């Protein structure tokens, strides 16, 4: 319950002209880690921790072949994966007609576009998941792919879908014809986009990410973080999962998320490489690319450093407008990637593009040394020229400057340790409002959309993971719940 989560607001108005705020979030250790199920060489663990009615699953996958890896996942988590899809879809309260339209749209986008550039290793895993789930009587044939497409709309769903369909040119004709046959009142791309988006966009879609190091942190170590504010209070957090993959000849890596989303909402590799995402809506969009939740796994399993990661990134194709982040223990730093179709802009600390973005006489950015962070807007001129917005919305800008002000408060005297890094994560998680005060208190935060909040200590391979818990009146967003300290080295460094 929220009342048991000890989060104190530290008012900094007397210390900072900007009146930044900081929390003292709870960091807890697991009370038990037990083996729940095994199949062949893979194991499913249950991690119990204070603040969570149900355990955090950790699946340790040693499948040998990529198909076997997927098979083990489907065998051990097929039921939970299917349950999560039903929970997500049922939360939208769709009519049968709306379900048919949504499934038509998702299946079309996967078959014609997102599946085309899926590397064979991951295609083999997907086939394995479906086959493994069938052995326990669960059909994930379409569910798995629909979930990937669904997750690929991270921001303003209406503009994402409309600009995607516009840029796909001839593709909407078939969809529109099918929609007409189903008596969907749609006579144009805009109408179809609006109808589909109205169904999918029934919750806020906000995210944030950050990296801090050097003069800002204890011992100069790198900390990174990721918040996911998306589809809260659906019940999918009952099946929260850390999935550890051991692909032969590649880097072991862990994804933190939910059963059935067979990709990386965020994650960390055995090399201490972390991956992050936040929506950044653009008019230049395509699904002729690499689905981002799978692409982030591809980066983790093939790169040890930021330069290696960027080389791989630039050799594959973007899809929708998004901000991504890559942190590297080997490099001891973090970069932000502002991306849209056919374009990526990379940002390090103190970037002049960020400092020089002015709208109506107001500076929209305030970069700092030894830190990079992003919410849901861009700073690169090549991104801004095609953005769906004329300037950052108040919510995104509020979160951006709240991170800035908290970093300034901690200063450059190596003050940020575990607790402060978790605080930087928790403070900008959605708690039910868009004003600065709403981010500074968990009072009445039951409507908060923050479902996943993770802080990384990449060098130590330690995560501090928080998930939403409870439902409706007892709902606690992740950023107001306990952050569970989990040392992933015991799984990531296994042979």
């Amino acid at each position: 319950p929220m009342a048991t989560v000890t989060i104190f607001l530290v008012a900094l108005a007397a210390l900072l002209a900007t009146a930044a705020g900081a929390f003292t979030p709870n960091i807890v250790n697991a009370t038990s880690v037990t083996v729940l199920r095994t199949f062949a060489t893979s194991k499913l663990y249950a991690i119990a921790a204070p603040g969570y009615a149900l355990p955090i699953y950790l699946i340790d996958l040693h499948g040998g072949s990529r198909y076997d890896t997927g098979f083990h996942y489907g065998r051990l988590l097929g039921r939970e994966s299917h349950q999560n899809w039903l929970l997500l879809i049922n939360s939208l309260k769709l009519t049968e007609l709306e379900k048919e339209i949504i499934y038509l749209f998702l299946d079309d986008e996967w078959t014609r576009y997102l599946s085309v550039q899926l590397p064979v290793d991951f295609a083999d895993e997907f086939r394995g998941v479906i086959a493994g789930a069938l052995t326990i009587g669960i059909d994930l044939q379409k569910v798995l792919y629909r979930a990937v497409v669904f997750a690929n709309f991270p921001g303003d769903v209406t503009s994402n879908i409309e600009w995607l369909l516009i840029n796909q040119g001839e593709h909407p004709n078939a969809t529109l014809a099918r929609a007409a046959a189903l008596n969907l009142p749609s006579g144009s791309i805009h109408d179809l986009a609006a109808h589909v988006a109205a169904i999918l966009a029934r919750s806020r879609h906000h995210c944030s990410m950050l990296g801090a190091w050097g003069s800002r942190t204890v011992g100069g170590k790198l900390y990174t973080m990721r918040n996911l504010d998306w589809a809260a209070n659906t019940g999918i957090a009952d099946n929260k999962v850390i999935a550890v993959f051991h692909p032969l000849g590649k880097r072991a890596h862990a994804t933190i998320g939910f059963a059935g989303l067979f990709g990386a909402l965020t994650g960390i590799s055995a090399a201490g490489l972390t991956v992050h995402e936040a929506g950044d809506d653009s008019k230049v969009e395509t699904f002729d690319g690499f689905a981002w939740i799978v692409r982030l796994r591809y980066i983790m399993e093939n790169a040890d450093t930021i330069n290696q990661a960027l080389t791989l990134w630039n050799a594959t194709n973007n899809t929708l407008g998004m901000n991504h982040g890559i942190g590297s223990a080997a490099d001891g730093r973090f970069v932000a990637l502002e991306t849209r179709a056919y374009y990526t802009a990379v940002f390090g600390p103190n970037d002049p593009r960020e400092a020089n973005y002015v709208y109506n006489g107001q500076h929209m950015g305030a970069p700092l040394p030894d830190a990079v962070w992003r919410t849901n807007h861009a700073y690169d001129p090549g991104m801004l020229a095609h953005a769906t917005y004329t300037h950052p919305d108040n919510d995104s800008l509020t979160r951006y400057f709240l991170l800035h002000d908290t970093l300034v408060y901690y200063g450059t005297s190596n003050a940020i340790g575990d607790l402060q890094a978790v605080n930087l994560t928790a403070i900008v998680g959605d708690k039910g409002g868009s004003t600065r005060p709403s981010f500074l208190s968990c009072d009445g935060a039951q409507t908060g959309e923050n479902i996943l909040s993770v802080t990384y200590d990449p060098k130590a391979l330690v995560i501090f993971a928080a998930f939403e818990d409870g439902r409706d009146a007892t709902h606690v967003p992740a950023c107001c719940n306990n952050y569970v300290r989990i040392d992933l080295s015991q799984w990531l460094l296994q042979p």
Side-chain angles (χ1 to χ4, degrees):
M2 192 173 301
T4 66
V5 181
T6 310
I7 297 183
F8 299 104
L9 174 63
V10 178
L12 305 180
L15 301 174
L16 290 176
T18 51
F23 288 110
T24 303
N26 269 6
I27 297 174
V28 300
N29 292 312
T31 54
S32 66
V33 180
T34 57
V35 176
L36 192 62
R37 294 192 284 271
T38 63
F39 180 76
T41 50
S42 297
K43 294 180 180 179
L44 180 68
Y45 296 85
I47 300 175
Y52 295 92
L54 295 172
I56 301 166
Y57 294 127
L58 186 146
I59 186 168
D60 191 29
L61 294 160
H62 293 267
S65 74
R66 301 302 283 256
Y67 177 88
D68 288 344
T69 294
F71 193 97
H72 293 186
Y73 186 99
R75 178 71 180 239
L76 291 171
L77 279 175
R79 187 166 286 105
E80 291 79 4
S81 297
H82 190 264
Q83 181 185 48
N84 268 5
W85 177 253
L86 293 179
L87 286 166
L88 193 60
I89 288 298
N90 290 341
S91 74
L92 299 176
K93 297 179 171 55
L94 306 179
T95 65
E96 289 306 309
L97 172 61
E98 287 175 328
K99 281 184 183 178
E100 192 164 354
I101 292 296
I102 289 299
Y103 293 160
L104 169 69
F105 175 75
L106 296 176
D107 293 346
D108 234 19
E109 292 298 327
W110 175 260
T111 302
R112 292 172 180 254
Y113 295 96
L114 279 179
S115 66
V116 175
Q117 295 187 31
L118 185 72
V120 64
D121 281 349
F122 296 103
D124 287 347
E125 283 186 356
F126 277 47
R127 289 190 303 105
V129 172
I130 293 165
L134 281 174
T135 65
I136 57 171
I138 300 296
D139 184 2
L140 295 179
Q141 177 66 48
K142 292 187 176 180
V143 167
L144 203 63
Y145 304 127
R146 287 170 179 169
V148 172
V149 181
F150 195 89
N152 223 68
F153 292 105
D156 182 337
V157 179
T158 304
S159 66
N160 282 166
I161 292 175
E162 182 169 356
W163 284 105
L164 177 67
L165 293 179
I166 288 171
N167 292 327
Q168 284 174 349
E170 80 288 347
H171 164 58
N173 295 332
T175 306
L176 287 169
R178 180 67 177 138
L182 291 167
N183 297 315
L184 174 68
S186 177
S188 68
I189 292 173
H190 176 78
D191 292 339
L192 177 63
H195 191 84
V196 174
I199 297 168
L200 294 180
R202 292 179 181 170
S203 65
R204 283 188 290 273
H205 299 75
H206 298 157
C207 300
S208 51
M209 58 188 181
L210 176 145
W213 65 92
S215 64
R216 300 193 176 278
T217 62
V218 175
K221 67 160 65 175
L222 172 69
Y223 285 102
T224 64
M225 73 80 150
R226 151 80 149 130
N227 278 304
L228 174 62
D229 304 329
W230 182 80
N233 201 21
T234 62
I236 66 171
D238 288 354
N239 299 310
K240 45 196 171 287
V241 175
I242 300 168
V244 184
F245 297 85
H246 298 269
L248 290 178
K250 298 179 183 291
R251 288 82 172 159
H253 56 282
T255 65
I256 297 93
F258 306 92
L261 281 173
F262 197 66
L265 297 169
T266 185
I268 183 170
S269 76
L273 196 84
T274 64
V275 292
H276 313 252
E277 180 274 341
D280 184 1
D281 301 310
S282 174
K283 297 176 184 177
V284 184
E285 302 191 319
T286 182
F287 268 0
D288 283 323
F290 198 162
W292 72 267
I293 66 170
V294 187
R295 194 183 190 188
L296 295 186
R297 279 195 56 207
Y298 174 78
I299 296 297
M300 284 192 290
E301 69 176 30
N302 287 297
D304 292 326
T305 66
I306 287 174
N307 284 343
Q308 290 174 3
L310 293 178
T311 298
L312 293 167
W313 188 271
N314 292 328
T316 51
N317 294 323
N318 301 339
T319 54
L320 304 190
M322 298 181 208
N323 294 327
H324 289 283
I326 301 171
S328 166
D331 298 309
R333 61 188 180 94
F334 178 92
V335 294
L337 287 64
E338 298 181 357
T339 75
R340 57 170 171 80
Y342 323 116
Y343 187 83
T344 297
V346 180
F347 283 73
N350 255 347
D351 194 292
R353 290 169 294 177
E354 196 169 337
N356 295 335
Y357 178 23
V358 177
Y359 179 79
N360 279 352
Q362 179 184 353
H363 280 271
M364 298 286 106
L368 294 168
D370 291 350
V372 179
W373 66 100
R374 283 295 180 273
T375 50
N376 296 113
H377 60 272
Y379 288 95
D380 178 75
M383 288 290 295
L384 293 169
H386 300 283
T388 61
Y389 48 86
T390 57
H391 58 88
D393 68 35
N394 287 336
D395 184 282
S396 185
L397 202 62
T398 295
R399 286 179 287 122
Y400 173 91
F401 277 104
L402 194 51
L403 287 171
H404 168 274
D405 295 348
T406 308
L407 285 165
V408 169
Y409 170 65
Y410 288 139
T412 54
S413 298
N414 306 104
I416 297 175
D418 293 350
L419 185 61
Q420 293 76 23
V422 171
N423 170 59
L424 280 159
T425 312
I427 198 170
V428 288
D430 186 85
K431 303 172 183 71
S434 295
T435 63
R436 191 177 184 107
S438 74
F439 290 102
L440 302 182
S441 173
C442 284
D443 292 340
Q446 289 89 345
T447 60
E449 293 283 342
N450 185 242
I451 66 172
L452 174 64
S453 188
V454 186
T455 304
Y456 297 94
D457 178 345
K459 187 173 183 179
L461 301 179
V462 168
I463 68 171
F464 304 86
F467 300 84
E468 66 171 344
D469 198 72
R471 297 290 296 276
D472 301 324
T474 62
H475 177 247
V476 180
C479 54
C480 294
N481 205 352
N482 291 337
Y483 284 76
V484 185
R485 184 187 185 279
I486 302 172
D487 182 352
L488 290 179
S489 66
Q490 60 190 299
W491 290 286
L492 286 171
L493 299 182
Q494 289 177 359

